[in-house]
């Protein structure tokens, strides 16, 4: 999943990976997959991922996934106003 984020950044289309990673973070039954998706969203650096990451940080059933989502949200740039 980190490779997906890196590829999306390199081709200058981070938004292309966003829905896939968000879906995995919100819906995958495997803890490791949700953690990896959170990390990839942080690495992607798209501020549009903030809402999904914050939701996972507050609501995921697993503390380790909530922590990963919190960390990833902290890696995102602050949206410009």
């Amino acid at each position: 999943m980190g490779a997906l984020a890196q590829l999306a950044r390199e081709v200058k289309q981070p938004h292309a990976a966003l829905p896939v990673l968000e879906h995995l973070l919100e819906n995958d039954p495997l803890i490791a997959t949700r953690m990896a998706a959170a990390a990839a969203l942080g690495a992607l650096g798209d501020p549009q991922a903030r809402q999904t990451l914050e939701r996972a940080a507050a609501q995921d059933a697993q503390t380790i996934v909530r922590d990963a989502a919190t960390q990833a949200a902290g890696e995102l740039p602050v949206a410009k106003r």
Side-chain angles (χ1 to χ4, degrees), residues 25 49-60 69-70 73 76:
L25 177 58
R50 184 173 309 281
Q51 183 177 6
T52 300
L53 287 167
E54 289 176 351
R55 187 170 39 253
Q59 297 177 0
D60 197 275
T70 298
L76 297 177

Side-chain angles (χ1 to χ4, degrees), residues 13-37:
Q13 293 187 5
H15 60 278
L18 193 64
V20 174
L21 294 172
E22 288 179 324
H23 177 78
L24 289 171
L25 177 58
E26 293 179 323
N27 298 295
D28 201 275
L30 299 177
I31 294 168
T33 300
R34 295 196 314 273
M35 289 175 58

